[in-house]
Amino acid sequence: MEIHNTEKREISSFDKSISRNILIAKPDKYKLLENITHKNEEIISSGSNLSYSPLSFGKDIISLDLKKFNRIIDFNKSEKTITVEAGITLIEFLNFSLKYNLWIPQLPGYPTITLGGAVATNAHGKSCGSDGTIRKSIKSILLFHKNNGWMTLSENENKEIFDLTIGGLGLTGTIVNVTLDLKEIDNTQFTTKKKIIKSVEECNKIINNNDNFAYIYSWHRADRVKNFGEGIIFENILNKKPIISFKNLKDNNYRLTPYLFPIWNKLSIKLSNLGYFYLNKFGKKLKKENFLKVIFPFYSNEIYFNFFGKNGFTESQLLITSSKINDFMAEFKKLFKIYRPTITLFSLKKMSGEQSYLRFEDNKICVTFDLIKDNASNSFMNEIDQLCLKYNILPSVIKDSRLPKSIFEKTYKFANVFRENLYKFDKKRVYNSEVSKRLGI
């Protein structure tokens, strides 16, 4: 069946774990979105395709590219609300809202992510300890479903589907537009404080006891057994002095294009970590930083991902109860000594919220680490899976493409409730992805 506004091409998950030749449809009008949807058996929506896991495509599933749906539909300055289409990118959204000293603080770490994608993954940012996930800023959603048609979702209307959709990985239908409650922001400049720490355990204690409304997170060395976890705590504090006029955030010329061969290896990581650690240890402990650098730390630092090469990488993001961090890290370091995986990044931050359905959200510490993909890392991560069960840890479906179904079933306590409620809403299970098929969601 011929469908206009489509193309067939190979697409990969951000971590390069999965690649598929798929059909991509590019609707530019609501009527075309309806027509394409009605002509296909299985569908999934796609934004910028920056999900680490393959959430926006799958075998024999048509992907709806929503990037042409990027308009601002409505804005009410006095009520501090805005309605935007799902394909608008974060940088496009901010370049409008910041002119009025308004924004949402729950922003994931790259500016070309779409707002629809952020809603579908219940995204969070650096300030998730105080601001939680994007769920807290969503007022309503306009959804289109092949069999259920157009639906407005909110706390007061179709609430059950509203809850299923936020963090529902696009499985409830196509998010067409989103209405957000905005917050005031007087300045887009930050002051960054740095503190040298000796271990992950010390970091956990400091971060967990921090009640400031600051962006606080850490970076740790994880390239050697000795002094594993020494690092730096960063605290980004918004300047209080109001700015007179806002300047547009600029697109950069960097690209997320992996090199043909990997640059990261044990030696290059060790040298890079050594230089970064001492540069911060002996550098200024207080410095001014702009909005882009703080909110989107990998923007203009895309080379970090490109250095993994075509083979990609593995990222694990875990929510761990603060009181269990020390025991977890003791076993983590033992496993590190045994398997010697190549860890390129290790970081902590505090998160707040309530876990439900598929949402990566709770009042816990968020531990993130990246690894080079090889046999050592695979064996190491299999052991980490078992620690997730032992310590009641929630692993991120969004970040970890290799997360086994058996671990998902045991760690996501509300997965079956999500399945049951989704099936009641969509008995034909029209909306699917590589991830939903693999995990049986």
Side-chain angles (χ1 to χ4, degrees):
M1 181 184 297
E2 184 180 355
I3 304 173
H4 297 293
N5 291 59
T6 62
E7 66 169 308
K8 194 162 189 176
R9 63 183 173 91
E10 185 177 68
I11 194 167
S12 301
S13 55
F14 185 70
D15 65 3
K16 307 305 174 191
S17 63
I18 299 286
S19 295
R20 296 283 185 220
N21 278 303
I22 63 162
L23 188 64
I24 301 172
K26 299 181 177 183
D28 55 0
K29 294 180 176 63
Y30 291 174
K31 192 65 179 176
L32 186 56
L33 169 66
E34 291 177 344
N35 291 341
I36 293 170
T37 299
H38 286 304
K39 289 177 180 178
N40 287 276
E41 295 299 317
E42 288 191 293
I43 311 153
I44 196 68
S45 299
S46 174
S48 299
N49 192 39
L50 290 172
S51 297
Y52 287 54
S53 295
L55 301 175
S56 59
F57 65 91
K59 186 179 179 182
D60 300 323
I61 298 169
I62 189 165
S63 287
L64 295 174
D65 184 333
L66 300 178
K67 286 199 288 290
K68 291 184 179 179
F69 291 171
N70 66 344
R71 295 175 300 170
I72 296 166
I73 303 297
D74 184 63
F75 173 63
N76 189 317
K77 185 179 179 182
S78 60
E79 295 291 328
K80 299 175 188 173
T81 61
I82 189 170
T83 301
V84 295
E85 289 183 318
I88 196 169
T89 62
L90 300 182
I91 197 166
E92 290 170 335
F93 161 72
L94 289 168
N95 275 335
F96 177 85
S97 70
L98 287 175
K99 286 188 294 187
Y100 301 93
N101 298 108
L102 296 168
W103 76 321
I104 59 169
Q106 306 93 347
L107 297 171
Y110 202 72
T112 58
I113 292 171
T114 61
L115 262 169
V119 173
T121 56
N122 191 34
H124 64 270
K126 283 183 180 179
S127 67
C128 53
S130 57
D131 294 310
T133 65
I134 198 170
R135 179 173 65 88
K136 291 191 174 182
S137 290
I138 300 170
K139 188 172 184 178
S140 66
I141 297 168
L142 179 64
L143 187 82
F144 179 72
H145 187 280
K146 179 179 179 178
N147 299 321
N148 294 304
W150 292 91
M151 300 179 70
T152 299
L153 316 178
S154 69
E155 287 289 338
N156 302 313
E157 190 174 0
N158 299 306
K159 177 174 166 50
E160 188 172 277
I161 312 307
F162 181 64
D163 290 337
L164 283 173
T165 299
I166 301 172
L169 311 183
L171 303 181
T172 59
T174 299
I175 298 170
V176 178
N177 71 45
V178 183
T179 300
L180 300 165
D181 286 316
L182 302 173
K183 284 189 173 184
E184 291 184 2
I185 179 171
D186 291 327
N187 203 312
T188 53
Q189 296 296 311
F190 289 80
T191 298
T192 298
K193 295 180 181 179
K194 293 182 285 185
K195 178 180 175 62
I196 302 299
I197 48 173
K198 293 181 179 179
S199 66
V200 172
E201 293 83 351
E202 180 188 358
C203 174
N204 171 52
K205 186 176 180 180
I206 294 170
I207 286 180
N208 193 51
N209 292 329
N210 185 281
D211 294 323
N212 295 334
F213 288 95
Y215 294 69
I216 184 165
Y217 57 98
S218 65
W219 171 90
H220 302 267
R221 291 193 64 182
D223 56 84
R224 58 179 183 169
V225 175
K226 185 180 179 182
N227 297 328
F228 183 100
E230 69 175 351
I232 308 146
I233 289 179
F234 297 94
E235 186 176 2
N236 307 127
I237 303 166
L238 259 172
N239 294 348
K240 293 182 179 179
K241 184 180 179 182
I243 52 173
I244 298 171
S245 62
F246 165 74
K247 293 182 180 179
N248 269 12
L249 306 174
K250 294 182 179 179
D251 289 325
N252 67 26
N253 295 316
Y254 297 93
R255 292 291 176 265
L256 288 160
T257 308
Y259 298 152
L260 186 61
F261 299 104
I263 305 298
W264 289 136
N265 54 48
K266 289 189 184 298
L267 178 60
S268 61
I269 285 294
K270 187 174 183 178
L271 292 173
S272 176
N273 284 348
L274 193 67
Y276 187 75
F277 179 73
Y278 283 108
L279 185 67
N280 282 281
K281 184 176 182 178
F282 297 113
K284 292 180 179 179
K285 296 297 183 287
L286 203 68
K287 65 176 180 178
K288 305 289 185 184
E289 291 191 304
N290 65 35
F291 187 91
L292 278 175
K293 185 172 180 60
V294 171
I295 303 300
F296 305 119
F298 285 110
Y299 201 49
S300 300
N301 290 306
E302 289 84 353
I303 195 170
Y304 167 77
F305 294 109
N306 296 340
F307 270 17
F308 285 103
K310 297 288 185 181
N311 191 45
F313 63 100
T314 296
E315 176 159 308
S316 180
Q317 197 167 62
L318 310 172
L319 282 178
I320 309 176
T321 303
S322 179
S323 61
K324 296 180 180 179
I325 287 281
N326 289 4
D327 290 338
F328 169 78
M329 285 308 305
E331 295 202 48
F332 187 100
K333 285 183 274 191
K334 285 180 183 177
L335 294 170
F336 179 82
K337 190 173 182 180
I338 294 169
Y339 294 102
R340 298 298 177 105
T342 306
I343 298 176
T344 58
L345 174 75
F346 197 104
S347 179
L348 268 68
K349 60 187 174 186
K350 190 177 181 180
M351 180 174 272
S352 63
E354 182 181 355
Q355 207 283 312
S356 184
Y357 290 149
L358 308 181
R359 296 178 195 150
F360 186 75
E361 177 184 355
D362 214 334
N363 295 311
K364 296 185 177 182
I365 300 297
C366 180
V367 176
T368 304
F369 54 96
D370 294 348
L371 310 96
I372 287 175
K373 279 199 294 188
D374 56 21
N375 291 334
S377 292
N378 290 338
S379 298
F380 176 76
M381 285 307 301
N382 289 337
E383 297 285 358
I384 296 300
D385 290 338
Q386 299 308 309
L387 293 187
C388 287
L389 302 182
K390 182 176 181 178
Y391 293 109
N392 192 28
I393 293 168
L394 189 73
S396 173
V397 170
I398 298 158
K399 293 297 181 76
D400 189 352
S401 290
R402 44 111 259 141
L403 184 69
K405 183 180 178 182
S406 60
I407 303 300
F408 166 74
E409 295 287 354
K410 293 173 182 176
T411 53
Y412 280 79
K413 310 297 184 185
F414 302 100
N416 275 333
V417 181
F418 180 87
R419 285 192 190 96
E420 290 168 6
N421 290 343
L422 182 61
Y423 181 74
K424 288 177 189 175
F425 176 64
D426 179 11
K427 286 183 170 56
K428 293 188 176 180
R429 288 295 293 107
V430 175
Y431 296 83
N432 279 294
S433 67
E434 196 78 27
V435 168
S436 71
K437 293 278 191 179
R438 185 172 65 80
L439 297 180
I441 304 171

